[in-house]
């Protein structure tokens, strides 16, 4: 009896592993042609969507988030995009990715602040893309994040009807190889979750009134 249970558990585990592998392969292969590493090769889009990442306190962005912000502003500076949405988690009083990003932009760049929109309810990649479409009325976009994250981000965005391409944000300071390995391992399961969110037509945590991307980004300040 024990041998039969072990055999069944082994079969179930291998079947699950095969499913996860196949789903990851599908998402990667279906989106990789939309990823760019050189801004000069990037097709023009109206909006850059910068995905949120960890911040420290309420004032300091992580290196991961910094690289994404810098990537988005590079595309704005060179005219590849006309607007930028910086998304993040602002669901708690003492954890605020969005205003940490806004402080970083104001301190490090001289940019027309009306062109930068801030999404305070970007609690996940799925939420960000859904809100980009339904709240900010985005129809086409360049998604800016690290390469490992772009496959999932583009899969979600394009599944939701956004004509999206991706810009792999350059690393200003090189990250350790083991950190990349951890990201890739975590991303394998995140892609599975993204697939089911798309298939099941999941709703975002919060929507709210429309704030068209063609307007003034300062209306999104908190």
């Amino acid at each position: 009896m024990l041998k039969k249970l072990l055999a069944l558990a082994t079969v179930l585990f291998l079947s699950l592993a095969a499913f996860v592998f196949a789903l990851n392969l599908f998402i990667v292969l279906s989106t990789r042609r939309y990823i760019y590493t050189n801004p000069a090769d990037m097709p023009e889009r109206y909006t850059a969507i910068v995905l949120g990442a960890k911040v420290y306190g309420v004032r300091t962005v992580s290196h991961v988030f910094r690289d994404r912000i810098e990537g988005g502003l590079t595309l704005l500076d060179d005219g590849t995009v006309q607007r930028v949405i910086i998304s993040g988690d602002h669901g708690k009083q003492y954890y605020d990715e969005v205003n940490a990003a806004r402080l970083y932009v104001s301190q490090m760049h001289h940019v027309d602040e009306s062109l930068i929109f801030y999404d305070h309810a970007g609690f996940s990649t799925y939420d960000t893309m859904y809100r980009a479409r339904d709240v900010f009325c985005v129809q086409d976009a360049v998604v800016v994040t690290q390469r490992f994250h772009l496959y999932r981000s583009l899969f979600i965005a394009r599944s939701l009807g956004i004509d999206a391409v991706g810009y792999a944000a350059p690393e200003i300071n090189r990250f350790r190889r083991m950190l990349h390995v951890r990201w890739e391992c975590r991303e394998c399961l995140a892609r599975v979750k993204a697939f089911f969110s798309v298939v099941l037509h999941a709703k975002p945590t919060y929507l709210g009134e429309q704030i068209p991307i063609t307007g003034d980004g300062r209306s999104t300040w908190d």
Side-chain angles (χ1 to χ4, degrees), residues 46-212:
Y46 192 78
T47 307
I49 302 174
V50 176
L51 297 175
K54 187 175 182 178
V55 298
Y56 303 100
V58 294
R59 301 181 64 86
T60 306
V61 299
S62 63
H63 287 181
V64 171
F65 201 5
R66 176 203 59 190
D67 289 352
R68 297 177 185 182
I69 295 169
E70 290 292 340
L73 295 181
T74 294
L75 298 179
L76 182 66
D77 289 342
D78 66 20
T80 302
V81 301
Q82 305 303 312
R83 298 287 192 277
V84 175
I85 297 174
I86 299 178
S87 182
D89 183 347
H90 186 187
K92 301 181 181 67
Q93 182 179 0
Y94 297 108
Y95 186 77
D96 184 353
E97 294 177 359
V98 178
N99 281 305
R102 185 161 72 86
L103 180 63
Y104 175 85
V105 171
S106 66
Q107 289 179 339
M108 302 300 293
H109 291 272
H110 296 290
V111 61
D112 183 348
E113 293 178 322
S114 69
L115 305 180
I116 313 295
F117 287 69
Y118 294 91
D119 179 6
H120 296 259
F123 302 120
S124 69
T125 304
Y126 185 84
D127 281 15
T128 294
M129 298 308 170
Y130 202 114
R131 285 173 52 79
R133 185 193 67 181
D134 286 19
V135 173
F136 296 99
C137 308
V138 171
Q139 297 179 344
D140 57 65
V142 179
V143 180
V144 185
T145 184
Q146 283 71 27
R147 188 181 187 94
F148 73 89
H149 190 197
L150 274 175
Y151 303 110
R152 171 165 57 103
S153 305
L154 290 173
F155 172 76
I156 294 170
R158 298 188 68 85
S159 296
L160 292 176
I162 299 173
D163 180 12
V165 296
Y167 177 45
E171 295 181 9
I172 297 175
N173 301 107
R174 296 292 296 177
F175 296 106
R176 290 177 289 109
R177 180 174 177 79
M178 283 307 300
L179 189 56
H180 280 279
V181 172
R182 284 171 50 195
W183 287 337
E184 291 287 354
C185 291
R186 186 176 61 184
E187 194 65 15
C188 286
L189 295 179
R191 289 176 191 143
V192 174
K193 179 182 177 182
F195 175 81
F196 283 108
S197 294
V198 167
V199 169
L200 298 175
H201 305 288
K203 298 297 183 182
T205 306
Y206 181 76
L207 277 175
E209 297 181 1
Q210 287 190 341
I211 309 171

Side-chain angles (χ1 to χ4, degrees), residues 36-44 71 74-75 78-80 166-167:
Y36 296 82
T37 56
N38 185 351
D41 299 330
M42 181 83 59
E44 292 185 3
T74 294
L75 298 179
D78 66 20
T80 302
Y167 177 45

